[in-house]
Amino acid sequence: MAYVPGVALLAALVVGCSAGSDSNANGADSKAGSPTVTPAPPGKYLTLPAPCRAVPRGTLKDLLPGAAELPGDQQEKVFRGSASVTYDTDRKVGCSWKSDAPNATRSLSIDFERVVSYDPAVSDDDRADTVYAKKEKAAGLSSSAPAGPDAEKDTGTPGEKEKGKGKGADAEKPEDPAGDAAASADPSSSSSPSGGGTGEGGAGDSGVSPEDALPSRVLDNLGDAAFLHDLPTRAGSTSQQRTVSVVFRTSNVVVTVRYAEQPALVTQVPDSKELQEKAQALARKLAETLSE
């Protein structure tokens, strides 16, 4: 019985220490008032569509004149398309098609990029908007140009932005806003800094008068943000080619449509209006498919 009080005292000390440890574990005393970071919401899209099946055959027949008249095996090869080489199909996929008709060659490519933000403070949508904005800027356009004396040079005004480009070997070449997958659709095309639309280089190089060539521009009512880039170039040393790119963002996915024509005769000039209308129509179909 002489040892009972000592045992009771030891038990009381153990209980007291346990209570103190629980208080610190709950953070009531050690980090009171510390801010809690709420993770940014994820993007709407967790997967991407199969790119080579994203364009209906009827649409491909319209975009690739002459393909429907090819023999069976050749026709199937054209309409099947060629998938872009990618090492992460959850993040980026693409497909391209090409058709040679007697009067012209048409090529089409589409590219889907699903953007994921690994910063808990930045949402997937915001990160995708940054990716899209870089493409828009590379096209010489800006839908959010700052006001002030420098606003004009950032607005992407076709005529002003193309002045001075291509003068000398050291002239800066514009980045292709369509991306790597788009470039693979027609590896023979050049990246002449002639600019698009009604700029001086664009009208002069393509042989299209300013009133006939529609300018590169920001588009409304297509995804969350969109722009069109019209780029006349020369394939090789003689033939003229015109490439229209439509890039749009919907939530955390950035989509690029690239549609090009190269006439068989050097005297022929691609129809800018037709290419732009068809590229935009396809982009809107893809946007509707993503929203389903």
Side-chain angles (χ1 to χ4, degrees):
M1 297 298 292
Y3 295 98
V4 172
V7 173
L9 177 60
L10 179 60
L13 290 174
V14 171
V15 171
C17 291
S18 299
S21 299
D22 291 341
S23 176
N24 290 333
N26 293 331
D29 298 329
S30 61
K31 294 183 179 180
S34 59
T36 302
V37 177
T38 302
K44 176 180 178 181
Y45 301 101
L46 303 178
T47 60
L48 292 172
C52 292
R53 295 198 297 268
V55 183
R57 177 168 292 224
T59 302
L60 288 174
K61 288 181 179 180
D62 179 53
L63 295 173
L64 304 172
E69 284 72 42
L70 293 172
D73 292 343
Q74 296 181 32
Q75 182 181 137
E76 288 302 316
K77 183 178 180 180
V78 170
F79 289 140
R80 185 166 57 246
S82 177
S84 303
V85 177
T86 177
Y87 299 99
D88 189 351
T89 54
D90 287 333
R91 295 287 301 276
K92 190 171 185 179
V93 295
C95 191
S96 60
W97 299 262
K98 187 175 182 180
S99 175
D100 295 316
N103 60 339
T105 295
R106 296 279 182 105
S107 61
L108 169 71
S109 73
I110 58 175
D111 173 57
F112 297 90
E113 181 178 358
R114 185 175 69 90
V115 182
V116 178
S117 172
Y118 294 102
D119 185 346
V122 180
S123 69
D124 292 348
D125 283 20
D126 288 342
R127 184 68 68 192
D129 190 50
T130 299
V131 172
Y132 166 83
K134 289 181 179 179
K135 293 177 179 291
E136 187 180 77
K137 183 178 180 180
L141 301 169
S142 178
S143 58
S144 57
D150 295 332
E152 182 178 349
K153 68 180 180 181
D154 293 328
T155 58
T157 304
E160 292 299 322
K161 291 192 70 62
E162 300 306 323
K163 289 181 179 179
K165 287 189 177 182
K167 297 180 179 179
D170 296 332
E172 182 180 356
K173 294 183 179 180
E175 179 184 344
D176 183 0
D180 296 336
S184 66
D186 190 357
S188 65
S189 63
S190 62
S191 297
S192 170
S194 55
T198 59
E200 291 180 349
D205 291 345
S206 66
V208 180
S209 60
E211 60 269 19
D212 293 332
L214 301 177
S216 300
R217 60 198 180 277
V218 173
L219 300 175
D220 296 325
N221 303 319
L222 176 56
D224 296 315
F227 71 87
L228 181 148
H229 188 233
D230 191 332
L231 181 67
T233 60
R234 287 189 178 276
S237 59
T238 55
S239 300
Q240 298 188 64
Q241 177 174 308
R242 197 171 201 100
T243 303
V244 173
S245 298
V246 176
V247 182
F248 70 91
R249 178 184 73 85
T250 174
S251 186
N252 62 316
V253 171
V254 179
V255 182
T256 298
V257 174
R258 193 170 188 259
Y259 188 41
E261 177 185 355
Q262 181 181 335
L265 300 178
V266 296
T267 55
Q268 293 179 327
V269 177
D271 188 336
S272 171
K273 183 177 180 181
E274 179 195 4
L275 294 176
Q276 290 193 22
E277 288 178 348
K278 291 186 174 183
Q280 288 185 77
L282 176 56
R284 296 186 189 282
K285 287 183 178 179
L286 295 176
E288 292 173 0
T289 300
L290 286 170
S291 301
E292 292 177 353

